[in-house]
Amino acid sequence: MNTHKSAWDEDYRRRGDLWGGAPPPLPDLPAGAAVLELGCGNGKTLAALIRQPWSVTAVDISPRAVSLARRRPGTTTAALVVADAACLPFRREVFDAVFLVHVAGHLPETGRKSVASAICRVLRPGGAVFFRAFSVEDMRAGKGAETEPQTFRRGGGIITHYFTETEVAVLFAPLAPVSVRTHRWQMRIRGRDLPRAEIEAVFRKRG
């Protein structure tokens, strides 16, 4: 994963806060829930998580990203860790919820499988995974150099994989699917409406 780490570090060095805008809607979790965000980046989703009455831990492979996330107001209440999501430095079954928002798509197939396995290990029975990644229906699918099926590298060395609903369900097969759906919308660029699409999914660990 060293090449992957270097590519993200360089992107954050050049561009600073990469991710802005509104975070995705958050689920209703009980107060005190132990929550893990994988791939926190510069803290876009983390900023919303720490406003909830949860115990939040956030991980990113890029030290620069974690440094940027730490600058966000209120992040002193969260535990921020530089670590590989495929090899999490946590004990078994310690988290009630794991958020994986636009992270798995930036990994090769072996990395995606390793991350899914790591999530299953650290999730408590009855705990849930909240997943979001780009769909094969998205307008950017197919753009760049294809490194694996439906995985494309564009400038900077960062890859993006585009998922199908079936593929996501298979990736988290040890867990019970609560919902797996495609969210579609239009983005107007230079007078044209172009398709955007994400896979949104929730999985729960059998108790």
Side-chain angles (χ1 to χ4, degrees), residues 50-147:
I50 60 177
R51 291 196 292 268
Q52 305 302 314
W54 306 333
S55 175
V56 178
T57 300
V59 166
D60 202 285
I61 198 170
S62 165
R64 292 183 186 274
V66 171
S67 178
L68 289 168
R70 283 198 175 108
R71 298 177 191 174
R72 293 234 180 199
T75 54
T76 54
T77 63
L80 273 68
V81 181
V82 177
D84 187 342
C87 188
L88 294 172
F90 307 116
R91 300 190 309 276
R92 295 178 59 86
E93 300 182 349
V94 292
F95 293 104
D96 298 299
V98 177
F99 288 83
L100 192 65
V101 179
H102 288 293
V103 173
H106 294 305
L107 299 170
E109 182 179 11
T110 54
R112 297 193 296 272
K113 290 180 178 179
S114 294
V115 168
S117 177
I119 289 172
C120 292
R121 182 181 66 81
V122 301
L123 196 63
R124 288 173 178 155
V129 180
F130 300 93
F131 173 95
R132 187 183 293 249
F134 286 116
S135 161
V136 293
E137 299 178 27
D138 190 79
M139 69 177 188
R140 292 194 178 112
K143 305 291 178 60
E146 190 169 30
T147 58

